[in-house]
Amino acid sequence: MAIDVLIAEDEPSILEALDFVLKRAGWSISAVMDGEAVMDAVRREKPRVLVLDIMLPKRSGFEVLKQIRADKATSALPVLVLTAKGQQQDRRIAEELGADKFVTKPYSNADVVDAVRVLMGETGAVAAPPK
Amino acid sequence: MTVTRRKIIGASLFFTLFGAMAILPPLILLFRFDGLVFGVPVETVYLFALWIGLVVGAALFGVILPRDEPMPPQDKTRP
Amino acid sequence: MILTADLVIATAVAYVGLLFIIAYLGDRQTRTRTGGFLRSPFVYTLSISVYCTSWTFYGAVGTAARSGLEFLTIYLGPTIVFLGWWFILRRLVRISHDQRITSIADLLSSRFGKSSTLGVLITVLAVIAIAPYIALQLKAITSSIEAIAGSSEFGRGSLEGWDEVGLAFGVAAGMAIFTILFGTRNVDAKEQHHGVVAAIAFEAVVKLAALIAVGVFVVYMGGGMDSIFANAAAAGHEIHARDTFGDRWIAMTILAAAAVICLPRQFQVTVVENSDENHLRTASWAFPAYMLAMSLFTLPIALFGLSFMPEGSNPDMYVLTLPLAVGQDGLALFAFIGGFSSATSMIILESIALSIMVSNHIVVPVMLRLTSGTGIGDGQGVRRLILNARRISIILILFLGFGYFYLTRTSDALAPIGLISFTGVAQFLPAILASLFWRDASTKAAICAVLVGFVVWLWASFLPSFASSSPIVADIIANGPGGIGWLRPQELFGLNGLDPLTHAVFWSLFLNSTVLILGSLITNQSALEHVQAALFLNVFRRTRSEDSPIRGTATADDLFLVARRVLGHGRAVELFSEEAKLARMPWTTLEPSPAFIRRLERELAGSIGAASAHVMLSKVVSGDSVSLEEVMRMADETQQAIEYSQDLEKTSTELRATAEKLEEANRQLRKVDLQKDEFLSQVSHEVRTPMTAIRAFSEILLSESDLPRESREKFISTIHKESLRLTSLLDEILDLSALERGERAWENRPLDAEESLDQALRVCDALARQSKTKIVVESRAPSAYVKADPDRLSQVLINLITNAIKYNGAIAPEVTVRSRVRGKSYIIEVEDNGIGIAEDERGRIFDKFYRGRLGETGPYSGAGLGLPISREIIGRMDGKLDLVSSADEGACFRITLPLIAKPDAKAAQ
């Protein structure tokens, strides 16, 4: 079954907050907490958007992103990258690897929702929840 | 050890001074004792052997001393 | 075949004819530019071998017979000079090339402010000093002809009625004609002696071959080296027994080393005729090798001659008389040709070199002085005058030699005559060395020094050689002039006990150098001297500097007139059209640039010497020398540049050391800077994570008013938890930074560390059980008193144990704790059985914010400040916290604290 958003984030409290906010926006959510699990989850759950933290255990967000872009089946998946360091260099690397959007921690919930919405192709307020 | 231009020149200076020391007293007096090498007195053998050594050393330095700073061409080679 | 004087003279003339052909072919080869081989380093080396004259060919055997190994000094001295070619010869060649130096007199004149006085002085002294040397060659040729003539009944042939003097005169006259024909066809000393050089090189081969042929023959006749030495020893001629290596050995070595630089002909072939600096590389070993080959058979010939020839025969002629004595006429003739070769090559080159000096430094300057600035003869005048001057000088030089021969004909040996010349020319050495290495040497001092050295030489060395022919001289030697004892030529100032040669060498060179040094210190240099000194000293440094202070307003016409007179019409036109082409204008309207005037001066210097060229051009260009101010300004500029570069050189070592230090400091700074950046970015990361959660939940709470109560409480508690995490992070950072600044927020007091360990183990028990880790307490010290703070020590221990639990990763996790007392130390070790710490991480494990692989990816991510804080705390207790290699794979941390005596119960409270 396809879900709307897959979240890859290792901080439990941040994950909880994201989960709550994105569900509130009307999307179905699934989550993984380390880098190795992301690929499997993407293949299995076929999310429309991936929210990806860079500082992931086991396999970093960069590696995951590279893997996603290398795989034909997933190369078109829109990816929103969360950077904790908020540094130019991380951003640049993610951009080169093919990230579609960035949100820098600490973010406002609305920013994340807007970014995900843009990536879904639903613009602005007219977007209706897919359900 | 890195062999630099300056070290080679220094070695060449040492070699020259060593040669000068070796043919003069007191060093040469070391070889002033009774003894024959193939029927030739030892001091004679020493001097000639040293001389050959100096020639060989000079040939070596002739090869390894730096070759930069070529002379500007002589005027006469101009048209 | 019966050898007669007629036959050898005919052979000699034929041989001279052969030399002519070689010289002619050599000249033609270079002219048609196919003369590649004539410019090879080996021809160059062979031409340097003109050093080995008939003194070597005949005289060395004589010296060996009389004084043993002493003859070797004459070759060992030059060997050392050529070994050190990089330091002296290379400079001379480069300078002479740059300045178009034509002779040794020109070199010194040029260095010392283009002083014509010095040039004249050196020339005159060289001519006088060389006379004995020329005489030596005449004597050698004469003696060798006499030896052959006397060897058979009809040997004298048409020489019947000629005595030794007549024969010598004939030889001198023949040589003069030969040399004039050979060496004075062209005017430019710099360029056109390739034919002569070819002939000299040929002669070098001939004399070497002849000497080796005789040597091999003698060794064969004597039954091998050892039997020659053994027979000589049996007959009492043992060179080994003689006192060879004394003051005379040193003096002769120094003399020979000086001579190979200062003899006019050596300077000519080594420096002036050099066409490529790199030829010195080959000559540096090939010339010593040549001399070695020339000396190889000297001792055997001498020793064999001593035991084989009748008592009273002249050892100087053994090379010739030994083959004659056993009837080997062919070999004897070859030996004669060899000796003749060595004599002729020396005479030819020496008189060419001297004649160039005479014409450039005496005849041309006199001519310039006699004529006014613009009236220098007609077009061909200068050239013809120079050539004639050279021809006359050659005749003069040869007959000075003959004169010396005539006056000293009663003395027997060849070598002492040569040594007199060597001592004479050695007087140039201090000035030459000063010109290469000492900027402050002044012209006046150089002139005085050379003069003083020369006067001493005349008195102590030259004069005594006439003792055998003049009773007056003999009296002066015995009693001093007019009975003044301290002026006796061979015991000057009462210095006796020295060998006469050593005596002369010591006084002449000592006084010479002293005058040069002291004189230079008390006199001042003129501006031109300054410039020239700088040019000589910096010959390898400068790129293209002003080397002529001639500036002025001469028209091209004036200059052309001068150039044509000296260089000849063809060369002058060539020079000027070239310049005109460069300037892109017809040369009738040419404005001569300073560079062109400079080039012209160098061209002229090649023909008439630096001093004359300078005077000549100065006259033409401005009717006067340059204004003093201008010269001074240039001198100042040069001076500044030189001083600057010398300072640089002096401090370069220092600078390099400083630069290295700076670089190191810079590296450190960069490292610290990087660390600071990293620290900041780490802090920012560590702060952002809890901040993100706090912000996210606060926004949720703010925007969602209809949240269920339990969610609301859960979110608030999360915010609270994250705030606490933030607080503790900030505490840790502040704690660490205080510790790092050296502050200590506690008082160390005596305590039992075992109690702190117990406390820490208790605290960690819960965590261990929760994560199913077994804590093994292996062995414990009974009690251990240290100076510490109990809470802080516990904090460290707790940190270590919880780390061991949290980052273990083993299937059956186990943490081992042990403590013990070793000498004056108390040791606690905390070890786990996990995957351990990789080799590349070990160095960084105590860095701030550094988290091991497990720490970064495991379920527990601390801020990475625990270990650095722990290490700082233990450090403040005068202890150490280290990561040590553990027995198993896991990590093992060790705390080492110094023990103190157990305090009494009250104090411990």
PDB file of all heavy atoms in Angstrom, chain C residues 111-112 434-435 437-443 445-446 516-525 529-530 533-534 537 639 643 646:
ATOM      1  N   ARG C 111      89.413  44.232 -13.229  1.00  0.00           N
ATOM      2  CA  ARG C 111      88.813  44.185 -11.898  1.00  0.00           C
ATOM      3  C   ARG C 111      89.156  45.443 -11.100  1.00  0.00           C
ATOM      4  O   ARG C 111      88.336  45.999 -10.392  1.00  0.00           O
ATOM      5  CB  ARG C 111      89.286  42.936 -11.156  1.00  0.00           C
ATOM      6  CG  ARG C 111      89.252  42.987  -9.626  1.00  0.00           C
ATOM      7  CD  ARG C 111      87.847  43.210  -9.079  1.00  0.00           C
ATOM      8  NE  ARG C 111      87.818  43.216  -7.622  1.00  0.00           N
ATOM      9  CZ  ARG C 111      88.115  44.245  -6.852  1.00  0.00           C
ATOM     10  NH1 ARG C 111      88.489  45.389  -7.420  1.00  0.00           N
ATOM     11  NH2 ARG C 111      88.055  44.161  -5.542  1.00  0.00           N
ATOM     12  N   PHE C 112      90.420  45.879 -11.218  1.00  0.00           N
ATOM     13  CA  PHE C 112      90.823  47.018 -10.409  1.00  0.00           C
ATOM     14  C   PHE C 112      90.623  48.313 -11.184  1.00  0.00           C
ATOM     15  O   PHE C 112      91.566  49.002 -11.567  1.00  0.00           O
ATOM     16  CB  PHE C 112      92.262  46.833  -9.914  1.00  0.00           C
ATOM     17  CG  PHE C 112      92.376  45.721  -8.905  1.00  0.00           C
ATOM     18  CD1 PHE C 112      92.862  44.481  -9.268  1.00  0.00           C
ATOM     19  CD2 PHE C 112      91.935  45.910  -7.602  1.00  0.00           C
ATOM     20  CE1 PHE C 112      92.927  43.450  -8.333  1.00  0.00           C
ATOM     21  CE2 PHE C 112      91.999  44.872  -6.666  1.00  0.00           C
ATOM     22  CZ  PHE C 112      92.491  43.649  -7.034  1.00  0.00           C
ATOM     23  N   ALA C 434      91.728  37.937  -4.619  1.00  0.00           N
ATOM     24  CA  ALA C 434      90.996  39.100  -4.104  1.00  0.00           C
ATOM     25  C   ALA C 434      89.971  39.572  -5.131  1.00  0.00           C
ATOM     26  O   ALA C 434      88.850  39.945  -4.790  1.00  0.00           O
ATOM     27  CB  ALA C 434      91.972  40.222  -3.771  1.00  0.00           C
ATOM     28  N   SER C 435      90.344  39.530  -6.406  1.00  0.00           N
ATOM     29  CA  SER C 435      89.400  40.010  -7.420  1.00  0.00           C
ATOM     30  C   SER C 435      88.185  39.102  -7.500  1.00  0.00           C
ATOM     31  O   SER C 435      87.105  39.541  -7.867  1.00  0.00           O
ATOM     32  CB  SER C 435      90.102  40.113  -8.780  1.00  0.00           C
ATOM     33  OG  SER C 435      90.292  38.826  -9.304  1.00  0.00           O
ATOM     34  N   PHE C 437      87.004  37.194  -4.822  1.00  0.00           N
ATOM     35  CA  PHE C 437      86.264  36.989  -3.584  1.00  0.00           C
ATOM     36  C   PHE C 437      86.191  38.188  -2.647  1.00  0.00           C
ATOM     37  O   PHE C 437      85.467  38.138  -1.670  1.00  0.00           O
ATOM     38  CB  PHE C 437      86.873  35.812  -2.806  1.00  0.00           C
ATOM     39  CG  PHE C 437      86.842  34.524  -3.575  1.00  0.00           C
ATOM     40  CD1 PHE C 437      87.990  33.953  -4.075  1.00  0.00           C
ATOM     41  CD2 PHE C 437      85.626  33.889  -3.803  1.00  0.00           C
ATOM     42  CE1 PHE C 437      87.936  32.770  -4.788  1.00  0.00           C
ATOM     43  CE2 PHE C 437      85.567  32.703  -4.508  1.00  0.00           C
ATOM     44  CZ  PHE C 437      86.734  32.144  -5.009  1.00  0.00           C
ATOM     45  N   TRP C 438      86.984  39.253  -2.901  1.00  0.00           N
ATOM     46  CA  TRP C 438      86.993  40.331  -1.919  1.00  0.00           C
ATOM     47  C   TRP C 438      86.656  41.658  -2.587  1.00  0.00           C
ATOM     48  O   TRP C 438      87.412  42.174  -3.375  1.00  0.00           O
ATOM     49  CB  TRP C 438      88.354  40.398  -1.229  1.00  0.00           C
ATOM     50  CG  TRP C 438      88.339  41.274  -0.020  1.00  0.00           C
ATOM     51  CD1 TRP C 438      87.272  41.499   0.813  1.00  0.00           C
ATOM     52  CD2 TRP C 438      89.416  42.045   0.495  1.00  0.00           C
ATOM     53  NE1 TRP C 438      87.627  42.333   1.816  1.00  0.00           N
ATOM     54  CE2 TRP C 438      88.927  42.698   1.659  1.00  0.00           C
ATOM     55  CE3 TRP C 438      90.738  42.257   0.116  1.00  0.00           C
ATOM     56  CZ2 TRP C 438      89.726  43.542   2.428  1.00  0.00           C
ATOM     57  CZ3 TRP C 438      91.531  43.096   0.881  1.00  0.00           C
ATOM     58  CH2 TRP C 438      91.029  43.727   2.025  1.00  0.00           C
ATOM     59  N   ARG C 439      85.496  42.180  -2.237  1.00  0.00           N
ATOM     60  CA  ARG C 439      85.020  43.381  -2.896  1.00  0.00           C
ATOM     61  C   ARG C 439      85.859  44.605  -2.560  1.00  0.00           C
ATOM     62  O   ARG C 439      86.000  45.520  -3.361  1.00  0.00           O
ATOM     63  CB  ARG C 439      83.572  43.626  -2.498  1.00  0.00           C
ATOM     64  CG  ARG C 439      82.994  44.850  -3.131  1.00  0.00           C
ATOM     65  CD  ARG C 439      81.511  44.712  -3.273  1.00  0.00           C
ATOM     66  NE  ARG C 439      80.936  44.216  -2.028  1.00  0.00           N
ATOM     67  CZ  ARG C 439      80.282  44.989  -1.184  1.00  0.00           C
ATOM     68  NH1 ARG C 439      80.113  46.247  -1.439  1.00  0.00           N
ATOM     69  NH2 ARG C 439      79.775  44.480  -0.084  1.00  0.00           N
ATOM     70  N   ASP C 440      86.421  44.640  -1.338  1.00  0.00           N
ATOM     71  CA  ASP C 440      87.072  45.865  -0.906  1.00  0.00           C
ATOM     72  C   ASP C 440      88.530  45.993  -1.344  1.00  0.00           C
ATOM     73  O   ASP C 440      89.189  46.969  -1.011  1.00  0.00           O
ATOM     74  CB  ASP C 440      86.995  45.982   0.623  1.00  0.00           C
ATOM     75  CG  ASP C 440      85.560  46.232   1.051  1.00  0.00           C
ATOM     76  OD1 ASP C 440      84.837  46.886   0.276  1.00  0.00           O
ATOM     77  OD2 ASP C 440      85.165  45.764   2.123  1.00  0.00           O
ATOM     78  N   ALA C 441      89.031  44.961  -2.054  1.00  0.00           N
ATOM     79  CA  ALA C 441      90.414  45.066  -2.519  1.00  0.00           C
ATOM     80  C   ALA C 441      90.536  46.265  -3.452  1.00  0.00           C
ATOM     81  O   ALA C 441      89.743  46.410  -4.383  1.00  0.00           O
ATOM     82  CB  ALA C 441      90.807  43.791  -3.250  1.00  0.00           C
ATOM     83  N   SER C 442      91.509  47.128  -3.183  1.00  0.00           N
ATOM     84  CA  SER C 442      91.571  48.359  -3.977  1.00  0.00           C
ATOM     85  C   SER C 442      92.751  48.326  -4.949  1.00  0.00           C
ATOM     86  O   SER C 442      93.696  47.557  -4.781  1.00  0.00           O
ATOM     87  CB  SER C 442      91.692  49.579  -3.052  1.00  0.00           C
ATOM     88  OG  SER C 442      93.011  49.679  -2.578  1.00  0.00           O
ATOM     89  N   THR C 443      92.659  49.182  -5.956  1.00  0.00           N
ATOM     90  CA  THR C 443      93.669  49.211  -7.003  1.00  0.00           C
ATOM     91  C   THR C 443      95.043  49.551  -6.454  1.00  0.00           C
ATOM     92  O   THR C 443      96.032  48.894  -6.771  1.00  0.00           O
ATOM     93  CB  THR C 443      93.266  50.255  -8.052  1.00  0.00           C
ATOM     94  OG1 THR C 443      91.936  49.992  -8.430  1.00  0.00           O
ATOM     95  CG2 THR C 443      94.170  50.184  -9.250  1.00  0.00           C
ATOM     96  N   ALA C 445      96.216  49.221  -3.509  1.00  0.00           N
ATOM     97  CA  ALA C 445      96.760  48.126  -2.706  1.00  0.00           C
ATOM     98  C   ALA C 445      97.245  47.007  -3.609  1.00  0.00           C
ATOM     99  O   ALA C 445      98.308  46.426  -3.378  1.00  0.00           O
ATOM    100  CB  ALA C 445      95.693  47.611  -1.742  1.00  0.00           C
ATOM    101  N   ALA C 446      96.475  46.713  -4.664  1.00  0.00           N
ATOM    102  CA  ALA C 446      96.863  45.623  -5.558  1.00  0.00           C
ATOM    103  C   ALA C 446      98.185  45.941  -6.237  1.00  0.00           C
ATOM    104  O   ALA C 446      99.073  45.094  -6.336  1.00  0.00           O
ATOM    105  CB  ALA C 446      95.766  45.384  -6.588  1.00  0.00           C
ATOM    106  N   LEU C 516      98.462  43.776   0.318  1.00  0.00           N
ATOM    107  CA  LEU C 516      97.160  43.828  -0.354  1.00  0.00           C
ATOM    108  C   LEU C 516      96.041  44.054   0.660  1.00  0.00           C
ATOM    109  O   LEU C 516      95.172  44.914   0.472  1.00  0.00           O
ATOM    110  CB  LEU C 516      96.919  42.529  -1.121  1.00  0.00           C
ATOM    111  CG  LEU C 516      95.585  42.435  -1.845  1.00  0.00           C
ATOM    112  CD1 LEU C 516      95.494  43.505  -2.923  1.00  0.00           C
ATOM    113  CD2 LEU C 516      95.388  41.063  -2.468  1.00  0.00           C
ATOM    114  N   ILE C 517      96.089  43.310   1.753  1.00  0.00           N
ATOM    115  CA  ILE C 517      94.996  43.403   2.721  1.00  0.00           C
ATOM    116  C   ILE C 517      95.045  44.731   3.464  1.00  0.00           C
ATOM    117  O   ILE C 517      94.064  45.477   3.486  1.00  0.00           O
ATOM    118  CB  ILE C 517      95.070  42.220   3.710  1.00  0.00           C
ATOM    119  CG1 ILE C 517      94.801  40.914   2.964  1.00  0.00           C
ATOM    120  CG2 ILE C 517      94.058  42.402   4.839  1.00  0.00           C
ATOM    121  CD1 ILE C 517      95.089  39.678   3.765  1.00  0.00           C
ATOM    122  N   LEU C 518      96.216  45.040   4.042  1.00  0.00           N
ATOM    123  CA  LEU C 518      96.292  46.284   4.793  1.00  0.00           C
ATOM    124  C   LEU C 518      96.053  47.478   3.881  1.00  0.00           C
ATOM    125  O   LEU C 518      95.319  48.408   4.231  1.00  0.00           O
ATOM    126  CB  LEU C 518      97.662  46.393   5.483  1.00  0.00           C
ATOM    127  CG  LEU C 518      97.899  45.355   6.584  1.00  0.00           C
ATOM    128  CD1 LEU C 518      99.252  45.589   7.258  1.00  0.00           C
ATOM    129  CD2 LEU C 518      96.785  45.425   7.621  1.00  0.00           C
ATOM    130  N   GLY C 519      96.662  47.437   2.686  1.00  0.00           N
ATOM    131  CA  GLY C 519      96.496  48.536   1.744  1.00  0.00           C
ATOM    132  C   GLY C 519      95.035  48.758   1.393  1.00  0.00           C
ATOM    133  O   GLY C 519      94.542  49.889   1.338  1.00  0.00           O
ATOM    134  N   SER C 520      94.309  47.669   1.171  1.00  0.00           N
ATOM    135  CA  SER C 520      92.896  47.809   0.812  1.00  0.00           C
ATOM    136  C   SER C 520      92.107  48.379   1.972  1.00  0.00           C
ATOM    137  O   SER C 520      91.122  49.109   1.779  1.00  0.00           O
ATOM    138  CB  SER C 520      92.314  46.447   0.425  1.00  0.00           C
ATOM    139  OG  SER C 520      92.989  45.942  -0.681  1.00  0.00           O
ATOM    140  N   LEU C 521      92.534  48.049   3.190  1.00  0.00           N
ATOM    141  CA  LEU C 521      91.795  48.541   4.341  1.00  0.00           C
ATOM    142  C   LEU C 521      91.992  50.038   4.546  1.00  0.00           C
ATOM    143  O   LEU C 521      91.091  50.714   5.044  1.00  0.00           O
ATOM    144  CB  LEU C 521      92.220  47.781   5.606  1.00  0.00           C
ATOM    145  CG  LEU C 521      91.854  46.292   5.610  1.00  0.00           C
ATOM    146  CD1 LEU C 521      92.321  45.620   6.896  1.00  0.00           C
ATOM    147  CD2 LEU C 521      90.358  46.088   5.439  1.00  0.00           C
ATOM    148  N   ILE C 522      93.178  50.561   4.146  1.00  0.00           N
ATOM    149  CA  ILE C 522      93.411  51.980   4.424  1.00  0.00           C
ATOM    150  C   ILE C 522      93.194  52.874   3.210  1.00  0.00           C
ATOM    151  O   ILE C 522      93.239  54.082   3.326  1.00  0.00           O
ATOM    152  CB  ILE C 522      94.833  52.235   4.995  1.00  0.00           C
ATOM    153  CG1 ILE C 522      95.889  51.739   4.014  1.00  0.00           C
ATOM    154  CG2 ILE C 522      95.012  51.570   6.343  1.00  0.00           C
ATOM    155  CD1 ILE C 522      97.297  52.126   4.408  1.00  0.00           C
ATOM    156  N   THR C 523      92.946  52.280   2.027  1.00  0.00           N
ATOM    157  CA  THR C 523      92.670  53.148   0.885  1.00  0.00           C
ATOM    158  C   THR C 523      91.198  53.044   0.493  1.00  0.00           C
ATOM    159  O   THR C 523      90.499  52.127   0.914  1.00  0.00           O
ATOM    160  CB  THR C 523      93.522  52.754  -0.336  1.00  0.00           C
ATOM    161  OG1 THR C 523      93.290  51.374  -0.606  1.00  0.00           O
ATOM    162  CG2 THR C 523      94.988  53.001  -0.112  1.00  0.00           C
ATOM    163  N   ASN C 524      90.770  54.001  -0.318  1.00  0.00           N
ATOM    164  CA  ASN C 524      89.386  53.976  -0.770  1.00  0.00           C
ATOM    165  C   ASN C 524      89.324  53.604  -2.239  1.00  0.00           C
ATOM    166  O   ASN C 524      90.233  53.894  -3.009  1.00  0.00           O
ATOM    167  CB  ASN C 524      88.739  55.341  -0.588  1.00  0.00           C
ATOM    168  CG  ASN C 524      88.532  55.640   0.876  1.00  0.00           C
ATOM    169  OD1 ASN C 524      88.209  54.743   1.652  1.00  0.00           O
ATOM    170  ND2 ASN C 524      88.761  56.893   1.246  1.00  0.00           N
ATOM    171  N   GLN C 525      88.225  52.973  -2.615  1.00  0.00           N
ATOM    172  CA  GLN C 525      88.056  52.609  -4.011  1.00  0.00           C
ATOM    173  C   GLN C 525      87.450  53.775  -4.786  1.00  0.00           C
ATOM    174  O   GLN C 525      86.628  54.517  -4.249  1.00  0.00           O
ATOM    175  CB  GLN C 525      87.129  51.408  -4.128  1.00  0.00           C
ATOM    176  CG  GLN C 525      87.775  50.112  -3.707  1.00  0.00           C
ATOM    177  CD  GLN C 525      86.823  48.959  -3.879  1.00  0.00           C
ATOM    178  OE1 GLN C 525      85.639  49.106  -3.664  1.00  0.00           O
ATOM    179  NE2 GLN C 525      87.345  47.824  -4.295  1.00  0.00           N
ATOM    180  N   GLU C 529      86.189  51.374  -9.741  1.00  0.00           N
ATOM    181  CA  GLU C 529      86.635  50.163  -9.062  1.00  0.00           C
ATOM    182  C   GLU C 529      85.474  49.461  -8.399  1.00  0.00           C
ATOM    183  O   GLU C 529      85.340  48.247  -8.452  1.00  0.00           O
ATOM    184  CB  GLU C 529      87.634  50.527  -7.959  1.00  0.00           C
ATOM    185  CG  GLU C 529      89.056  50.685  -8.406  1.00  0.00           C
ATOM    186  CD  GLU C 529      89.907  51.118  -7.225  1.00  0.00           C
ATOM    187  OE1 GLU C 529      90.243  50.258  -6.401  1.00  0.00           O
ATOM    188  OE2 GLU C 529      90.191  52.320  -7.125  1.00  0.00           O
ATOM    189  N   HIS C 530      84.644  50.281  -7.753  1.00  0.00           N
ATOM    190  CA  HIS C 530      83.466  49.758  -7.069  1.00  0.00           C
ATOM    191  C   HIS C 530      82.596  48.946  -8.023  1.00  0.00           C
ATOM    192  O   HIS C 530      82.190  47.833  -7.739  1.00  0.00           O
ATOM    193  CB  HIS C 530      82.642  50.932  -6.550  1.00  0.00           C
ATOM    194  CG  HIS C 530      82.486  50.901  -5.086  1.00  0.00           C
ATOM    195  ND1 HIS C 530      83.095  51.780  -4.247  1.00  0.00           N
ATOM    196  CD2 HIS C 530      81.790  50.047  -4.303  1.00  0.00           C
ATOM    197  CE1 HIS C 530      82.781  51.494  -3.011  1.00  0.00           C
ATOM    198  NE2 HIS C 530      81.992  50.444  -3.012  1.00  0.00           N
ATOM    199  N   ALA C 533      84.398  45.796  -9.200  1.00  0.00           N
ATOM    200  CA  ALA C 533      84.474  44.797  -8.130  1.00  0.00           C
ATOM    201  C   ALA C 533      83.143  44.087  -8.001  1.00  0.00           C
ATOM    202  O   ALA C 533      83.074  42.862  -7.871  1.00  0.00           O
ATOM    203  CB  ALA C 533      84.862  45.465  -6.813  1.00  0.00           C
ATOM    204  N   ALA C 534      82.076  44.871  -8.073  1.00  0.00           N
ATOM    205  CA  ALA C 534      80.742  44.275  -7.955  1.00  0.00           C
ATOM    206  C   ALA C 534      80.482  43.309  -9.104  1.00  0.00           C
ATOM    207  O   ALA C 534      79.964  42.208  -8.909  1.00  0.00           O
ATOM    208  CB  ALA C 534      79.692  45.372  -7.938  1.00  0.00           C
ATOM    209  N   LEU C 537      82.414  40.110  -8.500  1.00  0.00           N
ATOM    210  CA  LEU C 537      81.945  39.325  -7.374  1.00  0.00           C
ATOM    211  C   LEU C 537      80.591  38.688  -7.658  1.00  0.00           C
ATOM    212  O   LEU C 537      80.305  37.582  -7.209  1.00  0.00           O
ATOM    213  CB  LEU C 537      81.842  40.229  -6.139  1.00  0.00           C
ATOM    214  CG  LEU C 537      82.429  39.607  -4.893  1.00  0.00           C
ATOM    215  CD1 LEU C 537      83.914  39.448  -5.050  1.00  0.00           C
ATOM    216  CD2 LEU C 537      82.116  40.468  -3.688  1.00  0.00           C
ATOM    217  N   GLN C 639      76.103  49.209  -5.462  1.00  0.00           N
ATOM    218  CA  GLN C 639      76.477  48.943  -4.079  1.00  0.00           C
ATOM    219  C   GLN C 639      75.275  48.487  -3.271  1.00  0.00           C
ATOM    220  O   GLN C 639      75.324  47.477  -2.567  1.00  0.00           O
ATOM    221  CB  GLN C 639      77.048  50.233  -3.489  1.00  0.00           C
ATOM    222  CG  GLN C 639      77.551  50.106  -2.080  1.00  0.00           C
ATOM    223  CD  GLN C 639      78.825  49.310  -2.044  1.00  0.00           C
ATOM    224  OE1 GLN C 639      79.351  48.946  -3.079  1.00  0.00           O
ATOM    225  NE2 GLN C 639      79.300  49.000  -0.855  1.00  0.00           N
ATOM    226  N   GLU C 643      74.828  44.987  -1.427  1.00  0.00           N
ATOM    227  CA  GLU C 643      74.683  44.849   0.014  1.00  0.00           C
ATOM    228  C   GLU C 643      73.385  44.168   0.372  1.00  0.00           C
ATOM    229  O   GLU C 643      73.327  43.314   1.248  1.00  0.00           O
ATOM    230  CB  GLU C 643      74.752  46.227   0.684  1.00  0.00           C
ATOM    231  CG  GLU C 643      76.165  46.524   1.165  1.00  0.00           C
ATOM    232  CD  GLU C 643      76.372  48.005   1.381  1.00  0.00           C
ATOM    233  OE1 GLU C 643      75.359  48.710   1.556  1.00  0.00           O
ATOM    234  OE2 GLU C 643      77.530  48.440   1.372  1.00  0.00           O
ATOM    235  N   GLN C 646      73.724  40.557  -0.244  1.00  0.00           N
ATOM    236  CA  GLN C 646      74.599  39.906   0.730  1.00  0.00           C
ATOM    237  C   GLN C 646      73.914  39.751   2.074  1.00  0.00           C
ATOM    238  O   GLN C 646      74.022  38.728   2.728  1.00  0.00           O
ATOM    239  CB  GLN C 646      75.893  40.688   0.882  1.00  0.00           C
ATOM    240  CG  GLN C 646      76.899  40.321  -0.192  1.00  0.00           C
ATOM    241  CD  GLN C 646      78.111  41.183  -0.145  1.00  0.00           C
ATOM    242  OE1 GLN C 646      78.110  42.207   0.510  1.00  0.00           O
ATOM    243  NE2 GLN C 646      79.145  40.773  -0.841  1.00  0.00           N
TER     244      GLN C 646
END
